[in-house]
Amino acid sequence: MTREQRLEDLNESRHQRLEDFRESREQRQLEEKTPNRSNEFQRQLATDRYRDELLVAYINDMATLLENSNGSLTADKVTATVARAKTLTVFRQLDAQRNIQIVRFLYEAEQLTEIHKNSSLDLSTAKFRDIDFRDAAINEKQLRQLSLIGIFLSNATFMGIEMEHNNFAHTQFNSVNFLLSHLNNVNFSSTSFDNANFSFTQMD
């Protein structure tokens, strides 16, 4: 065997070892990523399950309060205080998708409206991010007599909604979209806006 051939064989052997090393490393990396993805998926499932349980428990609690207070969470000070505390607590624990379900539940139960003789449930200081109020609107198009005073809204959308006699006094809006909305007698007194889109919005 000539020296050139031996060198060639050595180079081929070295090249093969490098290829084997790369394949082994890539295989290890793949094996490491696979359980990580599985663990992440399991954690997300557990989080979703926990949030669903919180949502159901909250609605059941509020239903009981409504039944015991003749359909009004603000009929007396104790009930109003308990309802406010429970609501603000669950808002902090849930995501945007579930928080808007709570808003819709309270709105449809007429606890976020100022009609008849009942006042709206006080949600001031509540902080909402990435809320799409079309999910709370009737047929995703109408919001009437909704009262959300003194809350914080970040990256919220009211796009295309017909809004009438709504109260957002003292609310702080950060990146809010009212594109193509129709606003009739909406109270924005003492409200602050940072990056608000009112393009093609009709105001009466």
Side-chain angles (χ1 to χ4, degrees), residues 110 112-116 118-120 145-147 149 167:
E110 298 184 350
L112 294 180
T113 59
E114 296 180 349
I115 58 178
H116 309 306
N118 295 325
S119 59
S120 172
Q145 296 178 315
L146 172 67
S147 181
I149 301 174
N167 192 351

Side-chain angles (χ1 to χ4, degrees), residues 160-179:
I161 299 178
E162 297 179 12
M163 305 175 66
E164 185 175 1
H165 298 291
N166 297 299
N167 192 351
F168 294 105
H170 303 283
T171 289
Q172 295 186 30
F173 292 95
N174 182 19
S175 296
V176 60
N177 188 2
F178 286 96
L179 176 70

Side-chain angles (χ1 to χ4, degrees), residues 25-35 37:
R25 183 177 60 183
E26 290 173 357
Q27 181 65 29
R28 286 197 305 272
Q29 290 174 344
L30 180 61
E31 291 173 353
E32 290 172 357
K33 289 180 180 179
T34 299
R37 285 197 294 266

Side-chain angles (χ1 to χ4, degrees), residues 6 20 32 35 51 70 102 119 145 180 187 195 201:
R6 286 198 300 272
D20 292 343
E32 290 172 357
R51 287 172 172 170
N70 296 318
I102 290 178
S119 59
Q145 296 178 315
L180 297 171
N187 184 359
N195 190 24
T201 298

Side-chain angles (χ1 to χ4, degrees), residues 30-49:
L30 180 61
E31 291 173 353
E32 290 172 357
K33 289 180 180 179
T34 299
N36 286 340
R37 285 197 294 266
S38 177
N39 291 338
E40 183 178 348
F41 178 70
Q42 293 299 325
R43 283 194 297 270
Q44 187 59 50
L45 282 179
T47 299
D48 287 341
R49 186 161 50 247

Side-chain angles (χ1 to χ4, degrees), residues 60-191:
N60 288 337
D61 287 347
M62 291 302 105
T64 300
L65 281 178
L66 285 167
E67 184 177 356
N68 294 336
S69 58
N70 296 318
S72 174
L73 296 177
T74 59
D76 62 81
K77 186 175 181 179
V78 173
T79 301
T81 301
V82 171
R84 170 178 163 80
K86 284 180 174 290
T87 304
L88 294 183
T89 298
V90 79
F91 278 151
R92 289 190 290 269
Q93 295 174 297
L94 297 183
D95 56 354
Q97 181 182 1
R98 292 172 178 83
N99 278 338
I100 196 61
Q101 292 183 51
I102 290 178
V103 171
R104 177 158 189 154
F105 165 74
L106 294 172
Y107 175 63
E108 291 183 343
E110 298 184 350
Q111 304 307 303
L112 294 180
T113 59
E114 296 180 349
I115 58 178
H116 309 306
K117 61 180 180 179
N118 295 325
S119 59
S120 172
L121 179 64
D122 179 13
L123 298 184
S124 60
T125 73
K127 296 180 180 180
F128 297 108
R129 180 182 295 274
D130 302 324
I131 291 288
D132 189 339
F133 279 87
R134 290 173 296 184
D135 293 330
I138 300 172
N139 297 324
E140 299 185 356
K141 294 181 179 180
Q142 297 177 342
L143 274 177
R144 293 192 174 97
Q145 296 178 315
L146 172 67
S147 181
L148 291 173
I149 301 174
I151 67 171
F152 299 84
L153 283 173
S154 178
N155 195 30
T157 183
F158 297 86
M159 187 170 63
I161 299 178
E162 297 179 12
M163 305 175 66
E164 185 175 1
H165 298 291
N166 297 299
N167 192 351
F168 294 105
H170 303 283
T171 289
Q172 295 186 30
F173 292 95
N174 182 19
S175 296
V176 60
N177 188 2
F178 286 96
L179 176 70
L180 297 171
S181 295
H182 183 185
L183 310 182
N184 182 18
N185 288 319
V186 177
N187 184 359
F188 288 119
S189 62
S190 301
T191 296

